[in-house]
Amino acid sequence: MEKILGLDLGSRTCGIAMSDALGMIAHGVETYRFEENNYKSAARHIQKIVEEHHIHTIVLGLPKHMNGDLGERAQISMAFKERLEKMMDVEVVLIDERLTTVMAQNQLIFADVSRKKRKKVIDKMAAVQILQGYLDGQRR
């Protein structure tokens, strides 16, 4: 089995998580910050990680509205998926991310992480939630 990357893409940040080699546990790698809407910079950063860790599968959060509709953020994620697949030999799987940030926020509050620190790690934690949800689904 190989490592899988999980991404939570925002307009200025990209939370990045990676699985263990067995594909069972997701852990946070970093929150990559970039200039607003500079997705090319984010993609280049991800490409370095993919090459360094020989990754072939990326799980990317697809932000849907609560009613299931796809808005502007979802269109950006779908375009980002295409960009990544053109740049490198990876399969990008889009995963519904509707509640991942809320779940990550709740975990951090439960762990008594300060508001200031939560802001720094929330995207990375959301990426962990996205990837862990995918990994759990693959095992079922």
Side-chain angles (χ1 to χ4, degrees):
M1 187 102 187
E2 67 200 26
K3 292 179 182 176
I4 298 172
L5 212 58
L7 305 177
D8 179 44
L9 184 66
S11 57
R12 287 192 295 266
T13 61
C14 184
I16 303 171
M18 192 180 303
S19 75
D20 60 345
L22 297 173
M24 294 178 79
I25 299 167
H27 65 270
V29 174
E30 67 176 310
T31 297
Y32 177 71
R33 297 178 192 289
F34 53 93
E35 279 184 44
E36 190 161 9
N37 299 323
N38 185 355
Y39 299 108
K40 187 185 281 186
S41 164
R44 279 198 301 263
H45 184 74
I46 291 158
Q47 186 173 25
K48 286 179 198 155
I49 296 169
V50 164
E51 288 169 358
E52 186 181 333
H53 294 276
H54 311 288
I55 288 173
H56 299 289
T57 305
I58 297 175
V59 180
L60 173 61
L62 181 66
K64 293 181 178 180
H65 296 299
M66 278 315 204
N67 66 4
D69 288 352
L70 299 176
E72 183 188 357
R73 300 281 341 140
Q75 302 299 329
I76 290 167
S77 288
M78 291 174 351
F80 195 66
K81 165 188 160 71
E82 286 178 26
R83 179 189 294 263
L84 293 176
E85 288 177 337
K86 276 195 188 112
M87 283 174 69
M88 50 198 124
D89 184 26
V90 292
E91 177 193 6
V92 180
V93 181
L94 294 168
I95 296 288
D96 183 352
E97 68 161 44
R98 275 180 278 196
L99 297 172
T100 52
T101 302
V102 174
M103 288 175 2
Q105 187 87 16
N106 288 342
Q107 280 184 333
L108 292 169
I109 290 168
F110 183 74
D112 203 27
V113 175
S114 73
R115 185 178 296 252
K116 189 177 174 191
K117 183 120 188 334
R118 279 199 310 261
K119 200 170 167 12
K120 286 188 179 139
V121 299
I122 192 68
D123 300 307
K124 176 172 70 174
M125 294 298 293
V128 169
Q129 292 283 345
I130 289 165
L131 181 55
Q132 192 64 56
Y134 173 81
L135 296 174
D136 292 348
Q138 293 299 101
R139 283 203 305 271
R140 282 191 202 109

